Amino acid sequence: MLWRICSERFGVYFYGMVSGQLILSICPCVLCDNLSSPCAGSRAASTTDSSYRGSPPPSHASLSPRSGDEFMSIAYQDYPHWCEVRYYEMAQRVGDIFAATVPSVCISGYTEESSKERYCLGLCTNPHRGTDAENVRKHIKRGVRLTYIGGEVFAECVSDSPIFIQSASCNARYKWNRSTVCKVPPGCHLKIFNNEEFAGALQEAVAKDTIAAVHDLLRLVNIRISFIKGWGVQYSRKKATQCPCWVEIQLQGPLQWLDSVMGAMGSLPPGSSRT
């Protein structure tokens, strides 16, 4: 069986410089037009990236499996809520799942009532909360702003303290190790997902004609963000589940597209959103 992806092409936007480090730091010291002089030992990005707003509309791609002369089209569609946010303290999930229905949402540490524009972690209770989580929660403050625009997702640190992001989509874009964690200081942002890049990855996966290859792309639609405390090879915390306060962002449109494709190819493997 042959598989084909047909997608509308649009621009791919970059704002930083490539670095091979496993633990990366986004720092505001390099301007957007100066992409050839990275800060020593860090990942540099502009705080005025022109791709952050006004980028093209999302690509509505279609997947067409072919068997003989028959075609089946599986089109990408935006989901009613574009992402779900789950809050964790160490390995324990705390609070309700937050569904983002507007293009820009903040995940803050405040104790206000959550709204469609804001998920307030300050109201999330945990009877087993440890001292580390208590201390970190005091410093989350404005936290992180997530923006979905033109088929791209950005994470901006609006806290007074850094955030740490693990995005397989971002890591693949710059050919970093897939487990790379980026440190994003206050006032900086990182592109953590791009619909067209995802469509390209899906095209390569389905060309292998195995559900396992498509299922592996689930890692692209799940993004982890830790507040204040990082993890990785340079830290005592080797996993996100060892961080006091962190969130997992799950992108719903790409996730449902994967499920639809895997459903058309055969039975869904364990770990898909339908199993």
Side-chain angles (χ1 to χ4, degrees), residues 244-274:
C245 302
W246 60 282
V247 292
E248 183 171 66
I249 314 300
Q250 189 176 75
L251 304 176
Q252 295 301 297
L255 177 64
Q256 297 304 318
W257 198 18
L258 285 178
D259 273 1
S260 297
V261 171
M262 288 188 289
M265 295 178 72
S267 60
L268 295 173
S272 71
S273 66
R274 297 181 185 176

Side-chain angles (χ1 to χ4, degrees), residues 144-146 153-157 163 165 184 188-190 192 225:
V144 59
R145 178 184 292 116
L146 302 176
V153 181
F154 296 84
E156 178 184 4
C157 180
I163 58 176
I165 301 177
V184 183
C188 295
H189 65 268
L190 182 69
I192 57 177
I225 302 176

Side-chain angles (χ1 to χ4, degrees), residues 7 12 40 71 94 117 125 134 144 164 166 170 191 209 234 253:
S7 62
V12 179
F71 286 80
V94 179
E117 294 91 6
T125 60
E134 287 280 9
V144 59
F164 296 81
Q166 186 179 64
C170 177
K191 185 194 298 183
D209 201 21
Q234 294 184 5

